[in-house]
Amino acid sequence: QVHLVESGGGLVQDGESLRLSCLASGSGFSINVMGWYRQAPGKQRELVASITSGGYINYAEPVKGRFAISRDNAKNTVYLQMNSLNVEDTAVYYCKASVGVQSYWGQGTQVTVSS
């Protein structure tokens, strides 16, 4: 079992930055892929960015050039640096970890961007 805890969300103004963190805990696991997803009100949950254990990174088009995902395998932590935030980035951000064929989700952290 993997337990994920996100932190770092909050309320910011348009153009500002936030850094999200997600700590994975448990025992006897090796996480293949860690990623960030988001879900805005009335919309489906969507991928923001993902990173494999080997460092391969994938970004959704709306965040390319503004967001950066990174990972500390020794700490089982994944980060999402979000720059140049805009109101369209407002959502609950969720961390996801893939361990073999199993997927685990965090509880989510709210990011609100005001204009």
Side-chain angles (χ1 to χ4, degrees):
Q1 188 74 14
V2 177
H3 185 57
L4 302 173
V5 177
E6 301 102 333
S7 61
L11 172 64
V12 296
Q13 292 191 331
D14 186 83
E16 294 185 337
S17 300
L18 277 176
R19 188 192 194 207
L20 305 182
S21 300
C22 173
L23 171 64
S25 61
S27 63
F29 64 89
S30 176
I31 298 176
N32 301 324
V33 183
M34 297 192 80
W36 289 97
Y37 289 71
R38 66 186 182 186
Q39 187 166 18
K43 296 187 178 181
Q44 290 190 329
R45 191 173 299 188
E46 62 180 6
L47 172 69
V48 176
S50 63
I51 182 168
T52 69
S53 57
Y56 179 79
I57 292 174
N58 181 43
Y59 291 107
E61 283 296 329
V63 307
K64 282 183 177 178
R66 299 188 299 123
F67 291 11
I69 190 171
S70 60
R71 175 173 177 169
D72 186 332
N73 290 328
K75 296 181 178 179
N76 285 323
T77 301
V78 64
Y79 306 95
L80 185 68
Q81 177 66 42
M82 304 186 294
N83 300 323
S84 301
L85 286 161
N86 57 61
V87 294
E88 287 75 31
D89 297 315
T90 295
V92 178
Y93 284 70
Y94 297 90
C95 176
K96 178 184 175 182
S98 299
V99 180
V101 297
Q102 293 281 85
S103 292
Y104 301 89
W105 292 89
Q107 81 288 350
T109 185
Q110 177 70 46
V111 172
T112 303
V113 185
S114 64
S115 59

